[in-house]
Amino acid sequence: MSYEVGDRVRIGEELCIIRYIGEIHKWPGFIAYGVEWDNADRGKNSGVLDGKEYFKALVPSAGSFIKETTWFKRVLPGVSFCQAFYGKYMTNYRSDDIYLGSKKVQNFGLGELAIERKSLKILRSVCLDHCDVSTMVCDYSEMLDCFANVSEFDLSYNLLSDFKQICEFLNHLNGLNTLDLSGNYFSKGWDNLESFLFPQVKHLYMSCCHLNLSKLQVILKLFPSIEVLNISQNNFGNFNTTIINFPTTLEELVISGSGLTCIPSNLSQGHIKNLNVSHNHIDTISLVQTETLTHLDISYNAIQSWKELDELNNNFPELSSLRINGNPLFARENDHLAQFYQMIARFNNLTVLNGSLLSNYEREEAIFYFVSQVRKGLMEYDKDTKLWLRLCRVVGSDSETISERKSWFDTHVLHIQAVHEETHVVVNLSVLSCYSVRNLKRMICEKLHLDLTEVKICYMAVPSILSEISQEFCPVSDLNLHNGERIYVRQMIPKPSN
């Protein structure tokens, strides 16, 4: 099998992109393949050897070179779409084709074939993820009747590289609603796509596809009616250097982990309700305003001041759900509870904060706490804003009721300990009873410097018996914990690799 620059291949369990084919000075007389690994940890360089650049890796140090004699021993050949589909959905299919004269025919018994085809006509969803599909070019004309009722198609994490092949195939799927192409690197096939249009597709997933802004422009023209778009883990950088016209139909957008430095200002013209821009480099909010946004995830960015949080409230007045943990602003302050109260009070309509549900009573108590702290000069806030005037109307005058109210700290704050089972390290925590279990778990992991995905937390539901806390999105109050109780942290044993 021959390969070209831009092809996707699988070597062992790892995916990579061919960036270079030719000789290198290290191996004279031999063909070398320069690749960029999806898993950057496999890389040894960025396409440069001894000062000579053979290719430029998009991700620094994600490249390496493989000698041709080794290449063909290690690379796993891809399959066509037809082979993958028949292999998964037709149990009697065998890939060793047979011929009648010069005509190739599929290797089926006639009875089995009729039964298989009848069952396939009721397919609503086709899932061919991680099947090493490298090309859509095959004779799928005889299987098109199988796709008449298909509304969901998953081709994620394959070896596809030609986007035009995808468009030609989609022309036959008039009932398609959801398409997942994540994890494929489409390095070619972006020209002369003017004749294609897919208004039937409402949900599109293209995370980890090495997209840039010019390719995104093409995608948005091809799919003018999408309502949900996931383009996370693509290196877009500064959106505002290019005019990107998102469809007016778009309601949910995920652009996490894509190198953004700001929220795209183009979103002001749309009707987006749910926006995820987590794990980027966003440090300012002032460039975009919309009254339709209700859910925002801006966690793990570069927000450094309370002023930027106030901009969030001003620019997104209907915001009801917010994730903002993991920003530098909160790393500098040690009082997590004070931060939590501040965030609740600084927003008009929050009902969910960092995954924790907030009741009306909890919002009211947070407002009383926040106003009292500002009036004492312990917190800074612009007293000329409409929100401040509204908060003061809720609370009343300086002396009215504040000192008489039963402190929220006494009734809603739990003082507990987290204990690492192996190292026996103990940390003290103060948490709100309305916190979600996942938020509690995140705080414990930050204190103990552990990976959130590699630990379980347990507690003594009955004396001397540890029970795992598995319902991560229920409130801490459901656990019936008391002050001084302990949460036990257990590191999971990694599964051995095959």
Side-chain angles (χ1 to χ4, degrees), residues 198-214:
F198 310 109
Q200 73 274 28
V201 176
K202 307 300 181 186
H203 301 80
L204 179 62
Y205 302 90
M206 293 191 69
S207 62
C208 303
C209 287
H210 293 265
L211 299 177
N212 55 32
L213 292 177
S214 61

Side-chain angles (χ1 to χ4, degrees), residues 4-35:
E4 299 178 356
V5 171
D7 284 348
R8 295 270 285 166
V9 296
R10 182 184 298 278
I11 298 177
E13 296 299 318
E14 302 285 353
L15 294 175
C16 60
I17 305 161
I18 300 176
R19 296 290 193 191
Y20 173 82
I21 301 176
E23 288 192 24
I24 60 176
H25 68 277
K26 182 179 179 180
W27 299 321
F30 292 92
I31 297 295
Y33 290 80
V35 302

Side-chain angles (χ1 to χ4, degrees), residues 25 101 105-106 167 189 225 349 443 481:
H25 68 277
V105 296
Q106 303 296 343
C167 294
S225 304
N349 304 302
M443 291 177 62
L481 295 173

Side-chain angles (χ1 to χ4, degrees), residues 176-378:
L176 188 64
N177 176 275
T178 301
L179 176 64
D180 193 345
L181 298 172
S182 300
N184 293 286
Y185 174 46
F186 297 103
S187 59
K188 51 193 174 184
W190 291 95
D191 298 324
N192 304 316
L193 299 178
E194 295 80 7
S195 62
F196 297 103
L197 193 66
F198 310 109
Q200 73 274 28
V201 176
K202 307 300 181 186
H203 301 80
L204 179 62
Y205 302 90
M206 293 191 69
S207 62
C208 303
C209 287
H210 293 265
L211 299 177
N212 55 32
L213 292 177
S214 61
K215 291 178 181 178
L216 179 59
Q217 285 178 311
V218 174
I219 290 167
L220 295 177
K221 289 179 181 178
L222 291 170
F223 301 92
S225 304
I226 48 175
E227 298 171 1
V228 176
L229 177 63
N230 186 331
I231 46 174
S232 59
Q233 302 296 318
N234 290 291
N235 191 23
F236 292 121
N238 188 352
F239 249 83
N240 294 328
T241 60
T242 305
I243 297 176
I244 302 293
N245 295 315
F246 290 99
T248 57
T249 55
L250 189 61
E251 296 185 355
E252 181 177 336
L253 177 62
V254 182
I255 332 178
S256 59
S258 294
L260 301 189
T261 56
C262 60
I263 297 177
S265 59
N266 316 71
L267 299 182
S268 298
Q269 311 303 319
H271 300 87
I272 289 181
K273 298 178 181 178
N274 193 328
L275 177 63
N276 185 336
V277 288
S278 61
H279 295 86
N280 282 296
H281 311 297
I282 297 170
D283 59 5
T284 183
I285 311 298
S286 59
L287 297 177
V288 58
Q289 293 182 335
T290 175
E291 294 186 358
T292 61
L293 190 68
T294 57
H295 295 71
L296 174 64
D297 187 342
I298 195 169
S299 58
Y300 297 96
N301 272 279
I303 304 297
Q304 302 194 45
S305 72
W306 289 104
K307 180 181 177 181
E308 293 302 329
L309 261 70
D310 295 335
E311 288 285 350
L312 279 178
N313 183 58
N314 294 334
N315 295 358
F316 310 132
E318 298 302 316
L319 198 63
S320 61
S321 176
L322 174 66
R323 279 194 178 275
I324 196 161
N325 53 286
N327 279 277
L329 169 63
F330 310 112
R332 294 198 301 267
E333 301 185 28
N334 294 321
D335 193 339
H336 293 288
L337 291 175
Q339 293 173 3
F340 200 75
Y341 305 151
Q342 278 201 74
M343 286 188 284
I344 295 172
R346 284 176 181 263
F347 286 86
N348 293 324
N349 304 302
L350 279 192
T351 57
V352 181
L353 177 59
N354 292 337
S356 297
L357 294 173
L358 309 173
S359 68
N360 290 333
Y361 176 72
E362 289 160 342
R363 275 192 52 79
E364 184 179 336
E365 291 291 351
I367 289 171
F368 271 80
Y369 170 79
F370 177 66
V371 170
S372 67
Q373 294 298 97
V374 174
R375 285 175 172 171
K376 293 175 184 177
L378 299 176

Side-chain angles (χ1 to χ4, degrees), residues 103-134:
K103 183 179 180 181
K104 182 175 70 173
V105 296
Q106 303 296 343
N107 196 350
F108 286 101
L110 294 179
E112 290 91 341
L113 180 61
I115 295 172
E116 296 276 11
R117 285 196 179 280
K118 185 176 180 180
S119 64
L120 288 176
K121 287 181 180 180
I122 63 173
L123 275 178
R124 296 290 185 272
S125 175
V126 173
C127 183
L128 293 174
D129 63 307
H130 297 85
C131 288
D132 292 338
V133 179
S134 60

